[in-house]
Amino acid sequence: MGQIEKFPETSRLVVIGNGMAAGRALEELFAKARKPMKVTVFGAEPRVNYDRIMLSPVLAGEKNFDDIIIHDEDWYDRNGVNLRRGEAIVAIDRARKRVETAGGESFAYDKLVIATGSLPFVIPVPGANLEGVVTFRDLDDVEKMDAAARKGGHAVVIGGGLLGLEAAAGLALKGMKVSVVHLMPTLMERQLDASAGYLLEKAISARGIDVYTRADTEAILGAERVEGVKLKDGRLLPADLVVMAVGIRPNATLAKSAGLDCNRGVVVDDLMRTSDHDIFAVGECVEHRGQCYGLVAPLYDMAKVLASELAGDNPQGFVPAATSTRLKVTGIDLFSVGDFSDDDENNEVVLRDPARGIYKRVILRDNKIVGAVLYGDTGDGAWYFDLLKKGEDIGAIRDTLIFGQAYQGGSPLDPTAAVAALPDDAEICGCNGVCKSAIVSAISEDGLTTLDDVRAKTKASASCGQCAGKVELLLSSTLGDAYQKSDRRPMCKCTDLTHEDVRGFIRSKKLKSLPAVMQELGWKSSGGCPSCQPALNYYLVCAWPSEYVDDYQARFINERVHANIQKDGTFSVVPRMWGGVTTPDELRAIADIADRFKVPMVKVTGGQRIDLLGIRKHDLPAVWAQLNAAGLVSGFAYAKAVRTVKTCVGAQFCRFGTQDSTGLGIKLEKLLCGSWTPAKMKLAVSGCPRNCSEVTVKDVGVICVESGFDIHVAGAAGLHVRATDLLGHVDTEEETLEVCAAILQMYREEAAYLERLYKWVEKIGLERLRATIFEDRQAREALYQRFLVSQRCARRDPWAERAAGKHLHEFTPLAVISPVARVAAE
Amino acid sequence: MTIFEDIAMEENNAFWFDCGPVNSIPPRGARTVRTPRREIAVFRTASDEFFALENRCPHKGGPLAEGIVHGRKVACPLHNWIIDLESGAATGADQGCARKFPVKIERGRIYLDMGVAAPA
């Protein structure tokens, strides 16, 4: 093969398809010196070649069809192209080298180009063929949407990718009430990372478009016309128009029926040749080295290769290049290119400006740019793309790279000197518009000495907190040696904010997802680290119990699989024994399970329950199902949560007992169980001051006395040993329960993640806790009510959910490959 | 006839084992592939990259598949060593390396090359 054969004198070139790839190939071909060629183009659409990418502005009413025509009638005439528009080809006869039209006509070819493009993917749900369900592919679709929009009403766009969002924005501009339904957690997840996706969702929502993420369509409802969309979680969205924009698939039907090699698309080699020597394919219908393409840049590259090959120029083969993405919605600026997979601070540079909604991230490998995601300020997209394509070493400009091309050339500054050198009117806090001189004069005139002082007086760093570091630098440059840097410890290396700062902002700014927190608080990494991910997940669970969707991938393995990982990778399982009380039936069930699963060790814990050690991970769901069947539920022995309420036998049996400590312990455990806390939480109830249940070293404990109940807090008996402090006295069991729950809720809301209760009490002071719980009835009642709300969402037995199949992927291997079992992939 | 014929394809002396669809691993998650010789952890990052390492931390053999996946790294669940998914090497001050295995994604499925010779 290798050698290019020249075409006969007037060879006949037939092109099936009149889209952008075919048009560009012809344009390139006509520009070349070559033998004359008789070209016939068949287009299924009844129009000339137009810019399909610009259909969104046409829908939005910003352009009309004439504006987006690429080749007008005159161009076809000038180049002697016989354009057969509105004529679809239905068959290729390769043996006789002819194509057949839908009208039954037959045309001969010497060389054939298949450019049949792609078809919009229609998800196969009930109702997908109802009237009023459209795709977004060609001008006909735009006209259908336009007609629907003129009647007003509700539109549901299925698919939150590039096309879906452009359709949604266009329909919203035309006055429809639009909802976007997207399967994944963030919009445009193929082109954007979670942070940029979060900003995009915010901008789309700000246009009055409702965005439903993690939303799977179950059915499209309606008798003849579409009336609504039903989601798998049961939600119903009204709809007069449904736009399916979930993706495209190569249209290879014709090629396939002609017997050409096809997988997803028509298989071509590097020169765009199919498995038939005289048939080529180009554009979205093509599969090249296992890859199909939908963006215009690689399609135009293919067109160039094809034209050279047809002209006999002996071209270099097609090499897929990195492509960049932009969204064509007026007022939304986003750009992405290359590989923007997750990474840490070593391999990425992140700049966030929460006040202006800007997010910039450049991804590096070995000092070369491999990808970029820009949102809000995309001016430097082309520059980064250029550096990426050239593979330039950016080691020398790494420190200033993220500020863009305009900032290059200068030498990087020492941060202290940089802040000191700022002019007086330089804005330090973008959120509250506080300039340098306002902060400096507040420090010197009002005698401020700490960051909190400056926050209270000037509002600087009181909103997103990202400028806290700069404010501290100003404090130190203004006060000199007199400034004692606070011992505020940043939460982790992803932020300068403390745990307390972050918790405050989550509530005040109503941040309800991990990407929202990271963007609005200016996280320095794109996706957090193993230290901040679980902390943020807990803060969000605590702040928004009924709204936040718990992110199990942000949790430590023990909480993800509801068991304790052991050194050999097996797990331990501890069922709850309410107040340390069990029954013969429960013990029998535990014994049976220990036998059945050959549990290597059965041990009594310090929390008055039974630990089954050495259970293999894949056995966990079965173990739980059997424990559940005997009425046993998860003991949360693995979690930052309420563990146990240890009790003594109390007045029921003990001759010293003053109250029913066992009964109270059970009530307490039933009230508090299932609640996530900053760190593990152990409680106890003793029937008398002899304290057999070790109340005085528990996080929260109750000591029963003749006159009622003493409430103790802040004990510890682990790394540190600390006796509890007496917080107060209550008269009734009911009040004991309310007080304990209120303490727990205050701890949940205020403590830093992983901070044990005794550390937190030492931090805030026992008096503050006492004042809130015992002297401010309203505050206590409010805490108690918030606890009950949270419990309504939390009190599910995670074992029952897992035994019923939730997150089954956690417990089964992806595949088992062994010489005995032949096929094991599930 | 090879015993692997249903699930393997040969190509450039590599045996690619079909380990199932991409969606069987959650983003920022991992699952294991059991083989007669060892257990392999297949990781999926937030941005849908896939990596495979022997499921043993170079420190004390902890099951890396159970760790928190962040960026292109995983934190071992036993003692929080941070292992680079691409190379298998421990990061920071820690020394050691988990064996890595080639992974590829084709048509939405995960293929793993375990470096085993073709059975005769």
Side-chain angles (χ1 to χ4, degrees):
Chain A
M1 290 284 178
Q3 149 193 19
I4 308 297
E5 80 187 50
K6 296 288 175 195
F7 299 140
E9 279 298 300
T10 47
S11 72
R12 290 157 301 183
L13 176 68
V14 168
V15 182
I16 308 173
N18 188 28
M20 295 173 70
R24 175 56 70 100
L26 289 177
E27 207 171 278
E28 298 267 358
L29 181 64
F30 296 152
K32 290 179 185 297
R34 62 190 157 83
K35 292 278 169 64
M37 210 179 271
K38 191 165 167 288
V39 181
T40 311
V41 175
F42 293 89
E45 274 189 76
R47 5 189 118 81
V48 291
N49 176 26
Y50 61 91
D51 189 346
R52 210 178 284 283
I53 302 170
M54 299 309 278
L55 283 173
S56 301
V58 172
L59 175 65
E62 291 161 355
K63 286 193 187 311
N64 59 45
F65 181 67
D66 287 344
D67 297 331
I68 68 166
I69 288 175
I70 298 175
H71 296 138
D72 56 15
E73 311 265 352
D74 187 44
W75 181 87
Y76 291 95
D77 290 346
R78 223 169 45 236
N79 291 292
V81 175
N82 179 16
L83 172 62
R84 316 277 303 204
R85 59 181 120 174
E87 282 189 68
I89 296 297
V90 293
I92 303 169
D93 182 344
R94 287 166 53 197
R96 293 169 51 223
K97 297 183 82 170
R98 298 186 77 82
V99 294
E100 194 185 315
T101 68
E105 281 185 86
S106 165
F107 292 82
Y109 68 83
D110 295 304
K111 299 283 170 191
L112 179 66
V113 173
I114 299 176
T116 42
S118 62
L119 297 169
F121 188 71
V122 176
I123 49 171
V125 292
N129 53 1
L130 285 174
E131 204 189 322
V133 180
V134 302
T135 53
F136 186 16
R137 174 70 193 162
D138 57 29
L139 193 67
D140 294 337
D141 296 328
V142 171
E143 280 163 3
K144 278 184 220 159
M145 281 191 255
D146 199 36
R150 258 182 251 129
K151 290 185 219 139
H154 291 84
V156 174
V157 177
I158 302 176
L162 206 57
L163 218 49
L165 294 179
E166 291 182 359
L171 292 169
L173 266 180
K174 299 217 152 157
M176 291 192 92
K177 180 73 195 118
V178 184
S179 308
V180 172
V181 171
H182 192 52
L183 191 58
M184 304 303 286
T186 56
L187 296 174
M188 278 181 71
E189 76 286 346
R190 291 162 64 120
Q191 292 88 13
L192 297 178
D193 58 16
S195 297
Y198 157 77
L199 283 172
L200 177 61
E201 184 175 334
K202 212 169 134 183
I204 296 285
S205 304
R207 280 154 201 259
I209 297 170
D210 293 329
V211 179
Y212 298 87
T213 52
R214 293 192 178 88
D216 200 356
T217 305
E218 183 172 292
I220 297 170
L221 309 176
E224 282 169 19
R225 274 202 62 84
V226 54
E227 288 162 21
V229 170
K230 185 174 184 220
L231 304 181
K232 283 214 171 122
D233 62 12
R235 280 181 290 189
L236 281 175
L237 310 176
D240 304 294
L241 172 73
V242 171
V243 182
M244 289 253 195
V246 290
I248 54 170
R249 58 190 168 81
N251 179 9
T253 321
L254 185 64
K256 205 171 278 177
S257 59
L260 297 171
D261 279 357
C262 294
N263 291 322
R264 266 188 308 164
V266 189
V267 175
V268 295
D269 63 12
D270 289 356
L271 300 175
M272 301 293 117
R273 185 173 267 121
T274 67
S275 54
D276 182 320
H277 186 73
D278 291 321
I279 303 182
F280 297 83
V282 70
E284 286 176 340
C285 62
V286 155
E287 178 176 324
H288 173 258
R289 297 194 189 180
Q291 205 63 40
C292 296
Y293 294 89
L295 293 173
V296 73
L299 305 185
Y300 277 1
D301 287 344
M302 285 182 196
K304 199 176 240 170
V305 171
L306 172 65
S308 300
E309 174 65 12
L310 289 174
D313 285 352
N314 201 5
Q316 298 273 317
F318 169 67
V319 182
T323 52
S324 63
T325 304
R326 277 175 197 278
L327 184 72
K328 286 174 301 302
V329 172
T330 310
I332 294 182
D333 250 358
L334 64 81
F335 174 91
S336 79
V337 64
D339 173 6
F340 45 86
S341 48
D342 261 30
D343 223 311
D344 58 20
E345 74 287 353
N346 299 322
N347 287 326
E348 67 180 14
V349 195
V350 176
L351 176 76
R352 305 188 196 232
D353 185 340
R356 292 195 296 148
I358 286 174
Y359 171 73
K360 294 170 149 195
R361 176 165 166 249
V362 176
I363 300 89
L364 311 167
R365 301 244 191 286
D366 305 322
N367 274 339
K368 287 182 183 152
I369 296 181
V370 295
V373 181
L374 308 177
Y375 191 96
D377 174 6
T378 57
D380 284 305
W383 183 56
Y384 294 133
F385 193 7
D386 190 50
L387 290 174
L388 179 148
K389 279 191 288 194
K390 288 181 182 149
E392 249 170 65
D393 190 311
I394 52 83
I397 57 168
R398 183 177 167 136
D399 289 345
T400 51
L401 182 69
I402 199 70
F403 302 116
Q405 193 172 16
Y407 288 78
Q408 303 312 311
S411 53
L413 288 169
D414 157 40
T416 326
V419 171
L422 287 173
D424 279 352
D425 60 353
E427 192 175 69
I428 301 293
C429 173
C431 299
N432 294 307
V434 189
C435 68
K436 181 185 162 190
S437 62
I439 297 170
V440 171
S441 62
I443 294 171
S444 40
E445 283 162 30
D446 297 303
L448 308 183
T449 55
T450 68
L451 178 67
D452 284 339
D453 290 347
V454 177
R455 259 187 205 164
K457 185 79 191 169
T458 68
K459 301 285 284 173
S461 88
S463 286
C464 84
Q466 214 195 5
C467 58
K470 278 189 200 160
V471 175
E472 289 203 302
L473 288 172
L474 281 178
L475 273 162
S476 105
S477 71
T478 312
L479 297 175
D481 291 342
Y483 176 60
Q484 307 217 310
K485 202 170 177 336
S486 61
D487 58 355
R488 50 193 304 282
R489 299 248 314 274
M491 200 169 140
C492 66
K493 60 187 185 320
C494 303
T495 179
D496 290 332
L497 299 173
T498 64
H499 282 273
E500 291 73 18
D501 293 337
V502 171
R503 297 206 76 168
F505 288 134
I506 285 175
R507 281 190 295 267
S508 65
K509 297 170 83 81
K510 300 202 173 4
L511 307 177
K512 298 186 180 176
S513 68
L514 290 177
V517 174
M518 292 179 187
Q519 172 59 30
E520 300 297 343
L521 303 184
W523 237 240
K524 288 188 252 179
S525 63
S526 57
C529 67
S531 163
C532 63
Q533 279 188 25
L536 293 179
N537 188 58
Y538 166 71
Y539 294 154
L540 290 164
V541 165
C542 182
W544 316 109
S546 59
E547 293 168 74
Y548 177 63
V549 185
D550 202 327
D551 183 349
Y552 270 83
Q553 298 309 131
R555 284 187 179 274
F556 185 63
I557 182 67
N558 289 358
E559 293 182 356
R560 210 175 334 131
V561 302
H562 300 281
N564 276 28
I565 195 164
Q566 305 297 319
K567 65 181 281 189
D568 61 354
T570 63
F571 288 83
S572 81
V573 167
V574 183
R576 217 173 255 298
M577 281 182 179
W578 306 99
V581 176
T582 183
T583 64
D585 281 342
E586 286 182 353
L587 291 174
R588 254 188 296 273
I590 291 172
D592 286 345
I593 288 163
D595 279 343
R596 195 164 312 143
F597 293 93
K598 300 190 170 53
V599 174
M601 181 185 275
V602 181
K603 191 176 180 315
V604 175
T605 73
Q608 297 184 334
R609 37 198 197 171
I610 290 175
D611 195 348
L612 303 168
L613 287 138
I615 293 178
R616 288 167 303 175
K617 192 182 182 192
H618 61 262
D619 283 336
L620 287 172
V623 169
W624 294 333
Q626 296 191 17
L627 287 169
N628 275 167
L632 291 155
V633 297
S634 169
F636 280 75
Y638 45 79
K640 313 294 173 215
V642 172
R643 296 273 177 95
T644 59
V645 180
K646 191 169 180 173
T647 66
C648 66
V649 292
Q652 200 185 347
F653 290 98
C654 177
R655 63 204 162 103
F656 299 114
T658 61
Q659 311 275 359
D660 176 14
S661 54
T662 320
L664 177 58
I666 292 172
K667 281 180 202 158
L668 201 51
E669 192 162 348
K670 294 215 160 163
L671 175 67
L672 304 183
C673 74
S675 177
W676 300 103
T677 46
K680 66 182 168 186
M681 175 90 186
K682 296 176 175 180
L683 298 92
V685 182
S686 271
C688 77
R690 284 170 191 75
N691 229 331
C692 297
S693 59
E694 299 160 352
V695 163
T696 48
V697 290
K698 297 298 180 202
D699 294 292
V700 174
V702 180
I703 298 181
C704 305
V705 290
E706 287 295 344
S707 64
F709 308 87
D710 287 343
I711 310 293
H712 284 250
V713 294
L719 208 54
H720 298 99
V721 181
R722 186 187 191 284
T724 49
D725 294 309
L726 176 63
L727 191 69
H729 179 88
V730 296
D731 298 332
T732 65
E733 274 199 352
E734 286 66 45
E735 214 182 341
T736 306
L737 294 173
E738 186 184 315
V739 163
C740 290
I743 295 169
L744 184 71
Q745 182 65 14
M746 190 169 164
Y747 169 58
R748 297 182 73 228
E749 291 176 2
E750 290 193 2
Y753 188 65
L754 300 186
E755 185 173 46
R756 288 292 297 267
L757 187 132
Y758 72 96
K759 293 255 186 194
W760 168 69
V761 171
E762 283 173 358
K763 187 174 75 183
I764 67 161
L766 188 66
E767 279 317 309
R768 217 196 108 211
L769 181 62
R770 182 178 289 138
T772 310
I773 302 295
F774 279 99
E775 286 155 30
D776 185 344
R777 285 309 298 257
Q778 269 186 322
R780 176 166 116 197
E781 172 65 15
L783 282 167
Y784 182 58
Q785 288 307 327
R786 286 203 294 278
F787 180 73
L788 294 182
V789 168
S790 156
Q791 282 299 77
R792 275 204 287 279
C793 310
R795 277 175 70 173
R796 288 177 303 234
D797 177 25
W799 287 0
E801 291 179 343
R802 299 304 183 283
K806 184 178 176 184
H807 295 166
L808 194 61
H809 61 82
E810 275 289 355
F811 307 102
T812 50
L814 183 62
V816 179
I817 293 167
S818 73
V820 193
R822 283 166 51 111
V823 183
E826 52 172 320
Chain B
M1 173 170 120
T2 77
I3 42 180
F4 292 108
E5 64 180 358
D6 291 343
I7 49 172
M9 51 184 176
E10 186 180 0
E11 169 186 295
N12 304 329
N13 298 323
F15 274 81
W16 292 103
F17 288 83
D18 182 346
C19 296
V22 163
N23 287 340
S24 52
I25 307 180
R28 282 150 68 224
R31 291 183 64 186
T32 56
V33 173
R34 283 200 214 129
T35 78
R37 285 184 213 180
R38 58 179 67 85
E39 197 167 77
I40 293 171
V42 184
F43 299 89
R44 176 178 182 181
T45 67
S47 39
D48 279 354
E49 288 185 296
F50 290 78
F51 297 99
L53 298 177
E54 181 159 10
N55 194 22
R56 283 181 55 82
C57 181
H59 179 213
K60 300 218 165 169
L64 296 174
E66 321 287 12
I68 292 182
V69 176
H70 56 290
R72 284 184 168 193
K73 297 189 169 58
V74 63
C76 175
L78 293 194
H79 307 96
N80 214 27
W81 275 34
I82 308 292
I83 306 298
D84 184 282
L85 293 177
E86 209 174 355
S87 64
T91 61
D94 298 322
Q95 297 283 325
C97 197
R99 181 168 168 189
K100 62 175 180 178
F101 297 90
V103 189
K104 69 174 181 182
I105 304 300
E106 267 184 28
R107 273 169 242 161
R109 296 187 74 82
I110 305 162
Y111 291 88
L112 184 59
D113 171 21
M114 276 156 296
V116 294

